[in-house]
Amino acid sequence: DAKTTQPPSMDCAEGRAANLPCNHSTISGNEYVYWYRQIHSQGPQYIIHGLKNNETNEMASLIITEDRKSSTLILPHATLRDTAVYYCIVRVDPSLRAGNMLTFGGGTRLMVKP
Amino acid sequence: EPEVTQTPSHQVTQMGQEVILRCVPISNHLYFYWYRQILGQKVEFLVSFYNNEISEKSEIFDDQFSVERPDGSNFTLKIRSTKLEDSAMYFCASSEDRDPYEQYFGPGTRLTVT
């Protein structure tokens, strides 16, 4: 799986959009980008995933660049409850059944401030 | 909304004792996982389980560890003879067949080995 690089920490003002970047320059054509977050001491929480098109759900939007070498997770109106560590994980096409483990790196610690 | 549950929330045990951590995955999910997180460190994959057998395991998951699905709803992790270094949060997760990487995590069991 492609290696990912994320900034170790970011701040965001409450009510503003939080834009969390992830670099995955060695991503291959059949690899998906997954985002998870971990609020302090809780289990990781799935947020969203995508292959090449932008994706949106009730939690967030995922923007993947045209060359797929980077992506941005957008929380449109961050709240204090969004303070967490956010993980960007690249995994091969799930239909290939190439193993199911998730590898969590250091992630980005997002602090939403009032 | 269905969720993964784990019991107990906190387990204290003495070194050398056996412990069993319990999980109830989401009912229509077919893949089950255990991860652990030592305090202040990354979330680490231990094992995945599908179709009543281990499908993948990490090097952490040695002979001291075992998993079982004793009935149609529970999924357990047994540590045969606990060591001090087994102290960690243990997270259970489950996922559907359509996308094994979209995993839903429980709240965790904090294991303290004294």
Side-chain angles (χ1 to χ4, degrees), chain B residues 60-80:
Chain B
I60 301 169
F61 193 88
D62 61 21
D63 292 344
Q64 292 298 310
F65 292 89
S66 62
V67 289
E68 194 179 30
R69 187 149 163 85
D71 53 44
S73 59
N74 291 282
F75 180 51
T76 62
L77 174 70
K78 184 194 291 187
I79 308 175
R80 228 176 303 280

Side-chain angles (χ1 to χ4, degrees), chain A residues 29-107:
Chain A
N30 64 352
E31 288 182 317
Y32 285 67
V33 181
Y34 287 77
W35 282 84
Y36 280 78
R37 72 180 182 184
Q38 186 177 26
I39 296 169
H40 181 62
S41 294
Q42 297 181 23
Q45 179 186 22
Y46 166 80
I47 302 173
I48 198 167
H49 74 278
L51 179 63
K52 55 183 176 183
N53 298 320
N54 298 338
E55 302 287 345
T56 296
N57 63 19
E58 65 279 2
M59 286 184 69
S61 295
L62 174 60
I63 308 296
I64 301 174
T65 56
E66 196 166 335
D67 63 8
R68 303 208 323 120
K69 293 185 177 183
S70 66
S71 60
T72 301
L73 180 76
I74 301 172
L75 308 178
H77 306 286
T79 71
L80 299 178
R81 287 175 297 178
D82 292 320
T83 292
V85 180
Y86 287 77
Y87 301 97
C88 168
I89 299 171
V90 170
R91 283 304 323 238
V92 71
D93 183 345
S95 68
L96 296 178
R97 300 284 186 260
N100 308 329
M101 60 182 284
L102 294 173
T103 301
F104 291 87

